[in-house]
Amino acid sequence: MNTVGPGHRRWKRFLGCLLAGVLAAAPLASTHASSHDDVDYYDDYDSQDDTGTTREPTGNGGSDWTVPAIVAGAAATVLVVRWLRNRQQAGRQQASAGEDDMLMRLRQHGPEFAPAYNASAFAAVGMVRGGWPFVMDFTHERPVMVTLRLSARGLPDIYTLRLPFGAGETGAHRLQFTLPPEFGDSERPAAIAVTATDLSGEHPAPSFRIQALGCGPRAVGSVAIEEVSFLPRLIRAQAREQASYRFFSHSDFPSAVAEFMRVEPADDGERHFFVHEAPIAGGVVAGRSIDPRQWDGRDAGQRLSTGTHRLKIRAWAPTEGWVTAWSTARVSVSP
């Protein structure tokens, strides 16, 4: 039985406060590059390998992760990476203890997302390792520049991948690649940031939709979690109607959780707000769909969550990776 204890709730609340607080302040945020304030951030670095990956310097002392502040929500990544690295003033013993605690939490509770985030600019914390495959599925209706950044303690540079998609390249895409040896020969926590802008890099891309994100041997094989069903389109509380959900797994995951997110449209990208979660006892088995499960449209406090909702599935296996998949379908809840 996969239970969520008080310690985990405090951890999620702490992470959520960090991310959500900076998300709220993002329009007023400023960048902190030591020598790049007068240049286009996206064109400033030209050290690139044949995969289109750049490794970006992090400024004086490597204490900040500079992001384009004009992208609402992207400033959240600054605070996540500062926290992961414990800043330079933290002692080595303290930093090691902090990383050990995070490793234990991620192994027990899987990848972490803030309880409120912007779909066009969001951050997560998950396990990575050199040689592990990384996968991301997404869709967009307009030209877009998708930027993926990964940063882990012990790596002097930020691992960055930028993918431009022009007018004839809209639709569904899958990004899959292998993490380089620099990420080490054992698991470590990493901050993972995804931003989607127009091709100029100056404006958010509201049509961007993340469908799946994962890392590790069990995360791939197409994408390990697929066919995420969430129906019907509308449930009415007065009629005691419920939404039904299920999904298919290509891999064994001893731990999995279904999360229900309320979504709201916004000019800078769809907003997601955590409503409730339902642990999947026993995890999931490779080559099978879970039996259909129900959600009554209520949050953890048994209050009705009116509006449109999207299902998010998180699944993980210690030392073997993790995956998060979102439903394409949405369920609206009415009184």
Side-chain angles (χ1 to χ4, degrees):
M1 177 71 175
N2 185 0
T3 59
V4 180
H8 179 50
R9 287 194 292 269
R10 287 194 297 271
W11 161 258
K12 291 193 72 171
R13 192 178 304 115
F14 174 63
L15 177 65
C17 288
L18 286 178
L19 291 177
V22 184
L23 281 169
L28 302 178
S30 60
T31 58
H32 301 283
S34 59
S35 60
H36 307 294
D37 292 342
D38 297 324
V39 297
D40 183 347
Y41 180 78
Y42 286 106
D43 294 331
D44 186 44
Y45 304 105
D46 58 6
S47 62
Q48 186 168 357
D49 62 22
D50 58 2
T51 65
T53 302
T54 60
R55 292 165 177 80
E56 298 178 352
T58 56
N60 290 336
S63 61
D64 290 324
W65 186 348
T66 304
V67 294
I70 197 168
V71 180
T77 60
V78 178
L79 202 51
V80 174
V81 177
R82 285 181 183 172
W83 173 53
L84 279 176
R85 291 177 174 172
N86 283 332
R87 308 281 291 191
Q88 287 190 335
Q89 58 264 39
R92 291 183 180 179
Q93 183 176 0
Q94 178 183 347
S96 176
E99 184 169 83
D100 289 345
D101 181 62
M102 188 179 301
L103 282 168
M104 182 178 297
R105 290 184 182 276
L106 291 175
R107 284 172 178 164
Q108 290 178 347
H109 305 296
E112 293 282 357
F113 293 78
Y117 57 87
N118 185 316
S120 66
F122 66 90
V125 180
M127 294 290 200
V128 298
R129 179 176 177 175
W132 269 12
F134 191 99
V135 63
M136 182 171 74
D137 273 16
F138 56 93
T139 64
H140 57 97
E141 299 170 3
R142 299 178 182 177
V144 67
M145 173 75 76
V146 178
T147 303
L148 170 69
R149 295 181 177 91
L150 294 93
S151 179
R153 191 188 300 121
L155 273 68
D157 303 319
I158 298 166
Y159 191 82
T160 302
L161 188 66
R162 293 187 180 85
L163 299 170
F165 295 90
E169 300 175 301
T170 58
H173 300 277
R174 173 167 298 158
L175 167 65
Q176 186 170 322
F177 62 95
T178 300
L179 292 178
E182 287 86 349
F183 279 88
D185 57 5
S186 61
E187 290 178 291
R188 64 176 65 189
I192 302 161
V194 178
T195 58
T197 68
D198 62 10
L199 293 179
S200 73
E202 295 181 352
H203 303 286
S207 72
F208 179 83
R209 299 286 185 274
I210 184 74
Q211 304 294 349
L213 187 71
C215 188
R218 296 194 189 180
V220 299
S222 67
V223 172
I225 299 293
E226 290 189 317
E227 302 174 21
V228 182
S229 173
F230 192 36
L231 297 169
R233 292 184 177 181
L234 173 67
I235 61 173
R236 296 165 296 177
Q238 289 183 346
R240 297 186 178 181
E241 295 174 341
Q242 294 187 331
S244 176
Y245 64 95
R246 66 187 305 179
F247 59 88
F248 179 87
S249 180
H250 291 277
S251 299
D252 291 323
F253 289 105
S255 301
V257 172
E259 294 184 351
F260 308 96
M261 310 294 295
R262 181 169 53 83
V263 297
E264 295 180 357
D267 292 340
D268 59 355
E270 188 175 70
R271 304 295 173 87
H272 289 215
F273 301 91
F274 175 82
V275 173
H276 199 10
E277 67 179 18
I280 298 170
V284 295
V285 178
R288 292 178 56 184
S289 294
I290 67 165
D291 293 332
R293 294 165 177 259
Q294 281 70 47
W295 175 56
D296 61 4
R298 298 182 181 276
D299 65 14
Q302 289 303 301
R303 294 163 299 207
L304 190 65
S305 178
T306 58
T308 302
H309 298 78
R310 195 178 182 192
L311 177 66
K312 180 173 75 173
I313 303 297
R314 295 186 299 114
W316 64 98
T319 75
E320 293 292 331
W322 55 273
V323 66
T324 301
W326 287 258
S327 67
T328 301
R330 285 104 193 283
V331 171
S332 293
V333 179
S334 70

